[in-house]
């Protein structure tokens, strides 16, 4: 029932996007920018303002994300060195293991599985994780490619999600009541974010082709499907995180490799074929592993 009621609706909407992408061959640039600069900031702002989020939950999420991201980052670096993979393959591996699809895949699952309360906590995770991805993801992808610190900082400042989050916290702290002509458009845009993101996921996957590097792909896919859930389980236990927040952190950490990993691999020419294969295979494989995880969390 978990698979039918939670995973299948997500897979069906993404599947529609996949078929649409295959049939029309339309690019995703315009929709991606719409989602990134308008819909997702509205979703973040509306979630933080509307739902109850405690300072304790926020602190636990930040600490958890910092630990998990750091461990995955270190594990991928050490693992690729022990396997003696070349630099480009190593960078693609780090991106594949560290970047997860907690936005347009994780959030809908949380909404269907745990309702609006779980969804709101998932948004906090997404914003926190994005901060690490912007800094470390771009930094790793551009490693030895000549990106300056100034360029890296500018890339961080261009992400509108942080501004939406900060503004929402300010509104909550000061108990500012937004007038209906302002709050209702934000709510409408927020409601549009999830279906658009799922369609975008499907459209992005429709362009992915599994290429060579079979051994590396198999190792990375297996590692991505198994290591993050086990790591998240251990970290939440060590931190004493319980209840709904624990479930949210486990789900978000267990999502497949993000499409953004492929975008960075393409932009900096870091074995994009390998990253593309891992994105597709972990997304398909995650339908099974996420069903098992949700069953254990019920």
């Amino acid at each position: 029932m978990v698979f039918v009621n939670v995973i299948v609706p997500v897979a069906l909407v993404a599947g529609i996007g996949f078929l649409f992408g295959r049939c029309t061959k339309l690019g995703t640039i315009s929709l991606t920018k719409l989602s990134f600069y308008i819909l997702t900031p509205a979703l973040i702002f509306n979630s933080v303002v509307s739902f109850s989020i405690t300072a304790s939950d926020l602190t636990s999420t930040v600490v958890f994300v910092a630990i998990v991201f750091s461990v995955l980052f270190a594990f991928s670096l050490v693992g690729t060195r022990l396997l003696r993979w070349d630099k480009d393959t190593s960078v693609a591996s780090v991106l594949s293991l560290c970047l997860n699809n907690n936005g347009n895949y994780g959030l809908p699952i949380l909404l269907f599985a745990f309702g609006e309360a779980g969804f709101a906590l998932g948004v906090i995770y997404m914003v926190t994780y994005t901060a690490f991805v912007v800094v470390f993801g771009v930094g790793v992808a551009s490693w030895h490619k000549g990106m300056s610190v100034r360029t890296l900082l500018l890339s961080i400042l261009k992400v509108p999600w942080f501004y939406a989050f900060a503004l929402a916290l300010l509104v909550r702290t000061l108990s500012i009541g937004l007038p209906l002509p302002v709050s209702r458009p934000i709510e409408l845009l927020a409601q549009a974010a999830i279906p658009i993101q799922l369609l975008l996921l499907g459209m992005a996957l429709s362009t992915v082709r599994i290429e060579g590097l079979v051994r590396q792909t198999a190792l990375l896919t297996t590692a991505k499907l198994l290591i993050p859930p086990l790591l998240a389980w251990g970290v939440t236990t060590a931190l004493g995180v319980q209840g709904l927040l624990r479930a949210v952190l486990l789900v978000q950490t267990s999502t497949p490799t993000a499409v953004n990993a492929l975008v960075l691999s393409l932009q900096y020419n870091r074995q994009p074929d390998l990253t593309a294969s891992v994105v597709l295979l972990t997304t398909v494989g995650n339908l099974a592993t996420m069903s098992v995880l949700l069953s254990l969390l019920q």
Side-chain angles (χ1 to χ4, degrees), residues 86-111:
D86 61 71
K87 290 182 180 179
D88 286 344
T89 304
S90 297
V91 170
S93 301
V94 171
L95 295 174
S96 297
L97 287 176
C98 291
L99 274 63
N100 61 41
N101 205 349
N102 57 75
N104 55 7
Y105 181 85
L107 290 181
I109 289 177
L110 291 175
L111 181 61

Side-chain angles (χ1 to χ4, degrees), residues 64 121 232-234 236-237 240-251 297:
F64 172 86
L121 291 173
W233 200 283
T236 52
T237 301
V241 179
Q242 299 293 330
L244 179 60
L245 179 59
R246 183 171 190 258
V248 169
L249 296 179
L250 285 168
V251 168
L297 292 174

